[in-house]
Amino acid sequence: MKVFSLDSKDECSKIGANIILDELEKNKNLVLGLATGSTPELMYNYIIDNFKKRNLSFKDVKTFNLDEYVGLKPNYEDQSYRNFMNTCLFNQIDIDKNNTHFPVSYKEINVQNNYDSYDKLIDENGGIDIQILGIGNNGHIAFNEPGSELESKTRLIELTESTIKANSRFFDNINDVPKKAVTMGINSIFNAKKIILLAFGENKREAVEKLINAKSFDKNWPCTSLYNHEDLTILTDIQF
Ligand code: GLP
């Protein structure tokens, strides 16, 4: 694990973007695992601002997003992670939207309990080359809430009160926040060849500290599942 405690989120985002662009330069068929939330936004801006300058193209890139809400009320479609990714990245780069994947459509009504076909699709595409991750205050990664199993795959999950509360800032009323989501599992994430975890702000300190100090997996802190990943880079503005 490499930990970079940097001066600003700007600096972290620039480094994260450059890791992706450098890899894209070497491999135009890159498979990216992408995250939503406020954390990766700045990094996506850097990618948008720089890919053309570096003469790079996303037309052969495939992306797999970590998670998506289930049961989003129609007036909140703009809060879907599909919409977030289209707005913050996909509409502004030359990616083919057919190559951008989500574990479920936010419009899905007949939800199943089992979504491991998403993991199969990732495998069929050669696995994730670079996985971008944010982190929840409670140590969740994607929507793998405390209690998630190390071997978990993509699945339907009930969001915890703490996550619902944290995400209520994007909704008019806390009751409008979806209670369920489909998330890539801990094992699905761990299988990525390279992981870049971004964490900004003091409210993430405890979770990041748990990961940095982990000697084994602690179910109460899903982020600790990454403690022995062979290529994990943490970019943070928290000073340790
Ligand atoms: C959500 C997402 C996570 C994200 C987390 C942190 O719950 N499912 O993927 O890492 O929030 O969000 P933020 O980056 O806005 O702090």
Side-chain angles (χ1 to χ4, degrees):
M1 169 186 333
K2 285 179 265 177
V3 184
F4 294 93
S5 262
L6 302 167
D7 287 343
S8 65
K9 55 182 181 182
D10 198 66
E11 213 179 320
C12 299
S13 306
K14 233 184 247 179
I15 293 175
N18 280 329
I19 295 174
I20 293 180
L21 295 175
D22 290 348
E23 289 295 324
L24 180 59
E25 200 156 46
K26 290 186 239 157
N27 173 15
K28 70 183 180 65
N29 299 106
L30 209 56
V31 179
L32 292 174
L34 297 178
T36 52
S38 51
T39 306
E41 265 186 88
L42 205 53
M43 188 186 74
Y44 293 150
N45 286 345
Y46 275 109
I47 291 176
I48 293 161
D49 289 347
N50 287 290
F51 82 101
K52 273 196 197 135
K53 289 183 197 153
R54 291 183 57 171
N55 220 1
L56 296 171
S57 168
F58 283 85
K59 76 179 173 44
D60 297 315
V61 168
K62 297 204 172 73
T63 67
F64 291 88
N65 260 81
L66 284 169
D67 43 16
E68 179 60 283
Y69 286 125
V70 167
L72 202 57
K73 293 184 181 164
N75 54 326
Y76 282 113
E77 284 191 4
D78 58 336
Q79 289 306 331
S80 70
Y81 287 170
R82 160 54 82 185
N83 184 66
F84 174 96
M85 289 308 303
N86 284 351
T87 311
C88 295
L89 186 65
F90 300 154
N91 290 346
Q92 302 186 65
I93 56 176
D94 63 341
I95 200 160
D96 177 351
K97 292 243 180 76
N98 294 317
N99 289 338
T100 65
H101 306 278
F102 286 75
V104 69
S105 160
Y106 66 92
K107 291 183 179 158
E108 185 68 67
I109 301 163
N110 301 312
V111 283
Q112 324 146 24
N113 283 313
N114 194 333
Y115 284 89
D116 59 8
S117 57
Y118 195 59
D119 296 297
K120 289 198 189 98
L121 189 65
I122 293 173
D123 286 347
E124 281 161 20
N125 281 282
I128 289 174
D129 294 310
I130 309 178
Q131 175 67 60
I132 303 303
L133 279 185
I135 191 166
N137 301 348
N138 64 356
H140 73 237
I141 48 173
F143 271 135
N144 291 287
E145 296 283 27
S148 295
E149 300 287 343
L150 204 53
E151 289 310 316
S152 56
K153 298 282 191 185
T154 305
R155 67 205 186 286
L156 185 67
I157 191 156
E158 306 264 345
L159 302 181
T160 60
E161 279 308 311
S162 128
T163 300
I164 291 173
K165 203 168 158 208
N167 289 0
S168 66
R169 66 192 193 277
F170 301 112
F171 295 81
D172 296 334
N173 187 310
I174 193 162
N175 297 322
D176 293 335
V177 183
K179 312 247 174 319
K180 291 181 183 181
V182 177
T183 181
M184 263 165 69
I186 289 187
N187 181 259
S188 325
I189 294 170
F190 193 86
N191 284 338
K193 293 163 202 159
K194 184 186 204 57
I195 300 180
I196 301 172
L197 187 145
L198 300 163
F200 304 147
E202 282 301 314
N203 57 341
K204 305 284 171 79
R205 178 182 285 278
E206 193 181 4
V208 178
E209 226 157 39
K210 293 277 180 199
L211 167 55
I212 293 176
N213 297 328
K215 300 268 180 293
S216 61
F217 173 56
D218 174 356
K219 240 186 182 185
N220 297 319
W221 293 90
C223 56
T224 58
S225 58
L226 305 175
Y227 83 98
N228 59 349
H229 191 277
E230 61 181 25
D231 190 352
L232 166 66
T233 301
I234 301 177
L235 297 169
T236 181
D237 65 353
I238 306 164
Q239 303 306 312
F240 290 102

